[in-house]
Amino acid sequence: MGTAFAITLVFVGCCSNVVFLELLVRQFPGCGNIVTFAQFALIAFEGFIFETDFGRKKPAIPVRNYVIMVTMFFTVSVINNYALNFNISMPLHMIFRSGSLIANMILGIIILKKRYSPSKYLSIALVSAGIFICTIMSAKQVNVANEDSVDDGFYAFLHWLIGIAMLTFALLMSARMGIFQETLYKQYGKHSKEALFYNHFLPLPGFLLLSSDIYNHYVLFNQSAPVEVPVLGMMVPVMWVYLLANIITQYVCIRGVFILTTECASLTVTLVVTLRKFLSLIFSIVYFQNPFTLWHWVGTAVVFMGTLLYTEVLSNLLAALRGPPVKEKKVE
């Protein structure tokens, strides 16, 4: 019951979250900061009440360690959302973030001195190749869209390159945060809900640095077309409805992943999250009619094939279907 419920939360929450994010970004491409702030504020508010008991519960992991983790988490979240302002389409954004396996492996080898099997290296090569194909095809689309003017085309392409650089930096920073989190959990034990709260609560003062941008989009959101809220029977700017739906679905998504990690093995969690990304990508392409060529499909297939190979999902699935090995009875 718990597993099925968690999987439902992940698919419904995360997939619908991507939809509302795209609705926001299509109207105001630079709204990443106000979206990130709203998501952090909601999760921090919920955690303050239910996890810390209004601040009365002491953290199991020292706050100084959370400060380091939070600095990385805040940077990754802001850069990932802000990259959408640099000609980065939602499908490319999702595909690029699927490359977290590459960053994790590279930093694991450098920092933790880990060694991997040949199949792992092959899977990383596939993921890298898939992301490379999709990135190159998206670069061509940026050039074609601005081919009327050489100067416009060059600056649009340069703008896009900055977005790619931001996504690459966020990918590596996220992998470094994962390694730091892994070492903390080994030392102090797993405290996922506590980490979730502090990762969203401590960065809130950092949004003061982005206050002017957040306020500007607050004004723009108020100027959006009004829609009637069915239950309340009042008119509300449509962008606030999209934002509210986005932060609620983000919370549902995170809660689903948390429940899943307590109910299932990490391999199952990885498979569910990977399938969720693929479904979100397909929906984004079909519903929003995002430009997606045959080469994009090839690149996407290669990325997910590499991901499945890395997590050994197919081999474990075949082993589960075959069932446990039958022991031969000894003849007495």
Side-chain angles (χ1 to χ4, degrees):
M1 176 62 184
T3 304
F5 178 66
I7 292 173
T8 303
L9 287 181
V10 170
F11 275 93
V12 173
C14 298
C15 291
S16 53
N17 176 255
V18 171
V19 172
F20 289 113
L21 178 60
E22 181 139 6
L23 288 170
L24 288 163
V25 170
R26 278 180 168 249
Q27 194 76 19
F28 299 109
C31 69
N33 289 330
I34 192 172
V35 172
T36 307
F37 171 71
Q39 291 174 349
F40 274 52
L42 176 68
I43 294 172
F45 178 74
E46 187 272 345
F48 182 73
I49 297 173
F50 298 105
E51 173 58 25
T52 69
D53 191 21
F54 296 94
R56 289 193 287 263
K57 180 183 175 184
K58 290 184 178 180
I61 299 174
V63 175
R64 65 178 181 274
N65 291 315
Y66 278 124
V67 171
I68 298 171
M69 191 191 305
V70 157
T71 304
M72 292 187 280
F73 182 69
F74 176 75
T75 305
V76 168
S77 298
V78 171
I79 289 177
N80 268 329
N81 281 337
Y82 199 65
L84 292 167
N85 201 29
F86 290 82
N87 292 339
I88 302 294
S89 67
M90 279 301 295
L92 179 62
H93 193 269
M94 285 185 277
I95 293 166
F96 213 91
R97 292 180 69 178
S98 297
S100 56
L101 291 175
I102 307 169
N104 287 333
M105 177 176 275
I106 292 171
L107 293 187
I109 293 170
I110 295 172
I111 298 173
L112 301 178
K113 309 298 181 186
K114 288 185 176 181
R115 292 295 176 265
Y116 299 91
S117 63
S119 64
K120 291 286 193 291
Y121 290 112
L122 175 61
S123 67
I124 293 304
L126 289 171
V127 172
S128 303
I131 291 175
F132 179 76
I133 291 170
C134 290
T135 305
I136 293 299
M137 290 301 108
S138 296
K140 288 184 177 181
Q141 287 176 348
V142 171
N143 286 335
V144 169
N146 296 276
E147 63 183 0
D148 294 336
S149 170
V150 175
D151 290 337
D152 288 348
F154 173 75
Y155 286 115
F157 181 68
L158 190 63
H159 207 58
W160 177 83
L161 281 179
I162 293 172
I164 292 295
M166 291 172 72
L167 288 178
T168 303
F169 176 79
L171 203 61
L172 292 170
M173 179 66 80
S174 179
R176 182 64 186 90
M177 184 184 71
I179 291 173
F180 181 72
Q181 197 168 0
E182 186 179 330
T183 56
L184 279 185
Y185 285 167
K186 283 181 180 177
Q187 185 176 355
Y188 297 102
K190 290 188 176 182
H191 302 280
S192 302
K193 289 182 72 176
E194 179 184 287
L196 183 67
F197 165 70
Y198 282 102
N199 278 345
H200 289 81
F201 175 74
L202 292 178
L204 289 178
F207 285 100
L208 290 173
L209 300 172
L210 309 169
S211 57
S212 60
D213 181 73
I214 292 172
Y215 177 75
N216 289 337
H217 281 89
Y218 166 80
V219 174
L220 290 172
F221 277 25
N222 283 336
Q223 295 172 353
S224 62
V227 293
E228 185 178 352
V229 181
V231 179
L232 301 176
M234 58 186 292
M235 303 299 287
V236 178
V238 68
M239 295 303 289
W240 289 115
V241 176
Y242 291 158
L243 182 62
L244 179 63
N246 177 267
I247 61 176
I248 290 174
T249 52
Q250 173 75 0
Y251 175 75
V252 171
C253 175
I254 289 177
R255 290 296 296 162
V257 172
F258 170 73
I259 296 171
L260 205 60
T261 55
T262 60
E263 295 282 340
C264 308
S266 60
L267 192 65
T268 307
V269 177
T270 306
L271 175 60
V272 171
V273 172
T274 302
L275 291 175
R276 192 278 303 169
K277 286 180 180 178
F278 188 72
L279 187 62
S280 297
L281 179 65
I282 300 298
F283 189 87
S284 175
I285 295 161
V286 174
Y287 184 77
F288 291 102
Q289 297 181 342
N290 282 305
F292 217 71
T293 65
L294 176 62
W295 280 108
H296 281 96
W297 283 112
V298 171
T300 304
V302 172
V303 167
F304 285 100
M305 191 163 54
T307 304
L308 293 176
L309 179 63
Y310 182 89
T311 55
E312 299 177 352
V313 168
L314 296 178
S315 58
N316 282 275
L317 188 61
L318 290 173
L321 290 174
R322 284 197 297 265
V326 179
K327 293 183 180 179
E328 294 183 3
K329 293 183 179 180
K330 292 182 179 179
V331 180
E332 296 181 357

